[in-house]
Structure formats: C-alpha cells, structure tokens
C-alpha cells in the first residue's frame, strides 16, 4: 500500500484531517523512518496506540518478501553495529546488521536499543517489513516485542561479519575487515553540519581494492598502515561500493602486514556490467569506436567539467582550460562499455603531448583533428583495460588506470571461448 492510501486510512481511523496526516507521514518517511514505524508514531501522536491492522504473522526468514506485513520471527543475530542518522533534525543512533535462521538471511534495522549482539538468538514480535534496494528488511521499533532465547539457534551462516573486500556489496552493514591503507588523503568537505574534515583513499587486501571514507578521522588510518576495522558499512559512491568508517567503528592497528593482491579480476564485459559496478577490474575487448568529446577538449577552471562553446553547465560562460581525453567503446561480444582515458593515457595513445595536440589543431584549423588521429591509431585493435567500472542510467563507464594492446592471439582466445561454451 502506498503512502497516500496509508495516510487516508490512518486519517479515517483517527478522525483527523487527511492532508495533515499525509504531511506528517511524508515528513517522517523523508527522514528514513520506515512507513510502518511512521504510522505507529502518528497513532501515538494523536492518542491512538492500538496499532491498527491484524496480528503479525509468524514467518521463517526465507518466507519474508517486500510485500510481507508485520511478522514474528525467531532468528540468530549475525551482525550488529551502531550508526548515527539524521532524524527530524537531530541525530538518532540505530543498530543494523543481519539476522538469519536455517531458511535464509535478512537485513534489519533496530530503531530502539534492544541490546543486540552477534550470536544472540532472539524472537521479534510485530517486526515491520519494508523494501530496501529491492529486498525485504526487518524494522524493529517501539511496537516490536523482542525477547532473547536461552537455546542458541543453529544457522548455516558465519557469525560476526568478517569479510574480504571482494565480498563486500553496497548496503552491507556492521562488517569487519583487515586491510592495508594504500592511499590516504585528509580533506575538508561541506557536510550536513558545515565544513567537515574526513579521510578518504583506498583500502587493499589479498582479494582486491576498494575506496573508503573515514568520517571521524582516526590516527590509525594512514598511508602504509595495516588495520582491523569493525562495524564498517558499505554504500555506493560514483557507481562503486565504498567502505565507510564512522565514529561508531572500531579501528585497531595490526602488527603484521596485509598482503595486497596485484592483479585485478578479469571478467567478461557483460558479466562485469551485470555486477552494477566494480572498483578494480580488468576487461579485454575490441575497441570499436572513439566517441565524440574525445581528443582535445576544454574544461571549466572552477569545476573541471568539460565545456561546450565556452559554456559550463554550472558556471556559465568561462575561459576553458585545454586538456586531453578519450572516450572509447570496448566490446567483447558479451557487452560493451565506455572506456575513459585521462590526459596521461591519452598522451600515450596519441603519441604526443598537449602542446603537440594544440599545434595539430591549429595547423588543421580543426580541433577534431586530434580525435581523428587517435581513432586511426586505436580503433579496430584489441586492448586490456584495468580500471574502475561504474554503471548508471546512462550506461557503463570504465575509468582506466592502464590501457594496453592485448598480446593474446585472437585464434587462441576464440578457441578458449568455444571450449568454455561447450563446457
């Protein structure tokens, strides 16, 4: 049932103005309060704490769907981590993680302090269900009755949240990782409470690499350090998973070094795109086209966006700064991706510097001459590209860190492909 219908039903039950209820309900939902919890909150506000609706249904975790109503579930707490969110203009501490029984695993958010710890076996009565990223999530709030069971529930899942970087996905919460800090930069951003200092960079372990943000900078996180981080969460940033370290995370220095793998996983383009985004991946394919907006370009001196005819979408009329870039289409038969080369990689494939490109454009009296030269040199060849893949509504883009012509024999690759298909 959508918000408008819930507001109408609630206003009818309470005997108050529909628009007022709808406005209050919308305000709570905008502050990330689950709809069921928001309805309960408004019932209390207007002096009706009966809760409405029928009794919650007992359910196994594997049976719960985004369409489920309130449920009663017995489960084992796999992970539990605190995080602060902004709710109705003030900070509110929630606990989130994963619950499991023998039938499956489900994410949860606890809006009250129930004292949950990994390993606890609980029975949660009248737990709300909402949809989050297409999956069901349990919400434990004021209307939830929660009890701890003496007999531990046996589940076929690991308790505690230990994970490698390659295991992490957007939306993971309360995870524990041991990583090497490969890159680290302290910078100031405009946060929700004004200017805020953060640390950002790249973590690495044997399985791969991921970007991170440390919202409450700690001295243990510095370039070259090895650290254990408990209660981190993962969100999407620029199309790829990013590890977030908060004030509620525990960061401990490790005496031993964390080995970092030097190779990125090699995937087919179709398979890579289907993941929704990978920070570090290697793709091999044929370069079939160089897109418009490649070669010699101009950028805004304020925001570095590419400008057209001296106009920046954000800053209007500006004097552009000359730069080099390539946007090329890589295709391996399973899918296609736009590969973006920065100025240094573009100089390599162009075979000249920015000054050389400016001279060629002047001689030809055509800025597009530089892109045409690049097309002649790279289109129709097979390349191995390593970089960061992001996928959004505009398509798949790979920001390249390396761009090398493939040494593989096409016949050998075709034979290997056919063998894999036959298998």
């Amino acid at each position: 049932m959508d918000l408008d219908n819930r507001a109408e039903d609630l206003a009818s039950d309470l005997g108050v103005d529909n628009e007022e209820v709808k406005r209050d309900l919308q305000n709570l939902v905008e502050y990330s309060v689950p709809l069921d919890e928001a309805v309960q909150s408004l019932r209390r506000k207007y002096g009706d704490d009966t809760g409405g609706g029928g009794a919650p249904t007992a359910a196994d975790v594997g049976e719960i769907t985004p369409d489920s109503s309130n449920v009663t579930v017995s489960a084992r707490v796999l992970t539990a981590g605190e995080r602060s969110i902004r709710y109705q203009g003030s900070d509110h501490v929630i606990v989130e993680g994963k619950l499991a029984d023998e039938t499956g695993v489900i994410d949860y958010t606890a809006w009250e302090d129930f004292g949950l710890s990994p390993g606890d076996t609980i029975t949660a009565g009248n737990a709300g269900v909402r949809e989050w990223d297409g999956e069901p999530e349990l919400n434990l709030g004021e209307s939830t009755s929660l009890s701890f069971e003496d007999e531990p529930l046996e589940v076929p899942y690991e308790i505690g949240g230990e994970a490698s970087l390659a295991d992490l996905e957007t939306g993971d919460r309360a995870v524990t990782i041991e990583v090497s800090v490969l890159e680290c930069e302290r910078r100031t951003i405009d946060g929700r409470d004004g200017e805020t200092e953060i640390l950002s960079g790249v973590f690495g372990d044997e399985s791969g690499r991921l970007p991170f943000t440390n919202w409450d900078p700690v001295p243990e996180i510095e370039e070259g350090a090895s650290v254990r981080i408990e209660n981190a969460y993962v969100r999407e940033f620029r199309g790829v998973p990013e590890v977030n370290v908060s004030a509620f995370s525990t960061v401990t220095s490790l005496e031993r070094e964390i080995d970092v793998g030097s190779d990125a996983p090699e995937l087919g383009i179709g398979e890579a795109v289907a993941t929704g985004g990978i920070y570090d991946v290697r793709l091999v394919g044929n370069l079939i086209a160089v897109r418009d907006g490649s070669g010699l370009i101009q950028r805004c001196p304020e925001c570095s966006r590419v400008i057209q005819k001296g106009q920046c979408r954000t800053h209007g009329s500006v004097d552009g700064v000359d730069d080099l870039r390539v946007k090329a289409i890589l295709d391996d038969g399973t899918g296609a991706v736009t590969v973006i080369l920065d100025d240094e990689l573009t100089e390599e494939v162009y075979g000249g510097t920015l000054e050389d490109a400016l001279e060629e454009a002047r001689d030809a009296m055509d800025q597009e001459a530089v892109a045409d030269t690049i097309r002649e040199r790279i289109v129709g060849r097979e390349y191995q590209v390593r970089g960061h893949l992001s996928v959004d509504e505009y398509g798949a883009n790979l920001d390249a860190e390396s761009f090398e012509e493939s040494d593989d024999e096409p016949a050998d690759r075709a034979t290997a492909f056919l063998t894999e298909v036959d298998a």
Side-chain angles (χ1 to χ4, degrees), residues 222-289:
E222 60 178 359
E223 193 163 320
S226 294
V227 293
R228 177 182 174 86
I229 300 171
E230 299 171 69
N231 190 27
Y233 64 97
V234 184
R235 69 174 187 178
E236 181 181 300
F237 180 67
R238 294 179 179 172
V240 299
E242 178 194 69
V243 178
N244 284 252
V245 184
S246 74
F248 295 93
S249 303
T250 301
V251 182
T252 308
S253 296
L254 297 176
E255 297 297 325
R256 60 185 179 84
E257 289 188 3
I258 300 295
D259 292 331
V260 178
S262 60
D263 292 332
E266 181 178 330
L267 300 179
I269 293 177
E271 180 185 4
V273 172
T275 67
I278 307 176
Y279 182 71
D280 189 22
V281 66
R282 188 161 68 97
L283 306 179
V284 180
N286 295 309
L287 199 142
I288 61 175

Side-chain angles (χ1 to χ4, degrees), residues 52-309:
T57 304
D60 292 331
V61 168
E63 299 174 340
I64 300 172
T65 73
D67 295 326
S68 299
S69 186
N70 287 16
V71 297
T72 293
V73 61
S74 294
R76 193 84 178 266
V77 180
L78 301 184
T79 57
E82 290 184 323
R83 185 155 65 96
S84 177
I85 64 169
R86 183 59 58 90
Y87 166 47
Q88 290 187 324
S90 60
D91 292 332
H92 185 76
V93 177
I94 60 173
V95 175
E96 53 188 4
K98 294 182 182 294
L99 299 173
D101 64 12
E102 61 275 8
T103 68
V105 179
I106 191 169
D107 290 329
Y108 74 88
T109 297
W111 300 86
E112 302 294 323
D113 184 6
F114 293 105
L116 299 175
S117 297
D120 290 339
T121 295
I122 64 168
T123 295
N126 198 32
V129 180
R130 70 165 177 170
E131 181 177 339
W132 183 256
D133 284 343
E135 299 294 330
E137 177 187 84
L138 282 181
N139 285 273
L140 315 177
E142 288 184 357
S143 59
T144 302
S145 60
L146 191 142
S147 60
F148 293 85
E149 307 297 337
D150 294 332
E151 188 70 25
L153 181 66
E154 295 298 325
V155 296
Y157 306 100
E158 186 174 345
I159 295 170
E162 298 266 357
S164 65
L165 293 179
D167 294 331
L168 299 183
E169 298 178 350
T170 298
D172 285 347
R173 316 106 179 262
V175 298
T176 296
I177 54 176
E178 293 187 348
V179 295
S180 176
V181 184
L182 304 181
E183 302 173 21
C184 186
E185 174 190 14
R186 184 179 293 267
R187 55 196 181 94
T188 302
I189 63 168
D190 290 326
R192 65 190 184 189
D193 296 317
E195 289 192 346
T196 303
E197 264 203 352
I198 64 169
L199 296 178
S200 62
V202 178
F203 287 149
D205 67 10
E206 202 167 49
S207 71
R209 300 184 296 163
L210 278 182
F212 76 86
T213 295
N214 178 198
W215 296 98
D216 189 40
V218 295
E220 290 84 0
I221 296 180
E222 60 178 359
E223 193 163 320
S226 294
V227 293
R228 177 182 174 86
I229 300 171
E230 299 171 69
N231 190 27
Y233 64 97
V234 184
R235 69 174 187 178
E236 181 181 300
F237 180 67
R238 294 179 179 172
V240 299
E242 178 194 69
V243 178
N244 284 252
V245 184
S246 74
F248 295 93
S249 303
T250 301
V251 182
T252 308
S253 296
L254 297 176
E255 297 297 325
R256 60 185 179 84
E257 289 188 3
I258 300 295
D259 292 331
V260 178
S262 60
D263 292 332
E266 181 178 330
L267 300 179
I269 293 177
E271 180 185 4
V273 172
T275 67
I278 307 176
Y279 182 71
D280 189 22
V281 66
R282 188 161 68 97
L283 306 179
V284 180
N286 295 309
L287 199 142
I288 61 175
V290 171
R291 295 179 54 183
D292 292 341
S294 297
L296 183 60
I297 61 171
Q298 283 74 44
R299 295 188 182 276
C300 173
E302 298 293 330
C303 65
S304 295
R305 286 189 175 93
V306 175
I307 63 174
Q308 302 290 337
K309 298 180 179 179

Side-chain angles (χ1 to χ4, degrees), residues 288-348:
I288 61 175
V290 171
R291 295 179 54 183
D292 292 341
S294 297
L296 183 60
I297 61 171
Q298 283 74 44
R299 295 188 182 276
C300 173
E302 298 293 330
C303 65
S304 295
R305 286 189 175 93
V306 175
I307 63 174
Q308 302 290 337
K309 298 180 179 179
Q311 294 291 317
C312 172
R313 287 181 299 171
T314 302
H315 299 97
S317 181
V318 296
D319 292 327
V321 177
D322 292 315
D323 198 8
L324 290 172
R325 177 185 71 173
V326 171
K327 297 176 70 176
I329 307 299
L330 193 74
D331 191 305
D332 70 349
T334 70
V337 64
T338 298
V339 174
I340 302 172
L341 309 185
D342 64 11
D343 56 343
E344 292 183 3
L345 289 175
T346 300
E347 286 186 353
E348 290 181 18

Side-chain angles (χ1 to χ4, degrees), residues 290-291 293-298 322-326 343 346-347 349-378:
V290 171
R291 295 179 54 183
S294 297
L296 183 60
I297 61 171
Q298 283 74 44
D322 292 315
D323 198 8
L324 290 172
R325 177 185 71 173
V326 171
D343 56 343
T346 300
E347 286 186 353
V349 300
Y350 172 57
T353 64
L354 176 60
E355 289 69 26
D356 295 327
L358 290 167
E359 183 177 351
E360 180 179 6
R362 285 193 296 267
D363 290 344
M365 292 185 292
D366 183 5
Q367 180 173 314
E368 288 300 311
V370 177
D372 290 339
T373 297
I374 293 172
R375 285 188 181 94
E376 293 173 3
R377 294 183 175 179
I378 65 176

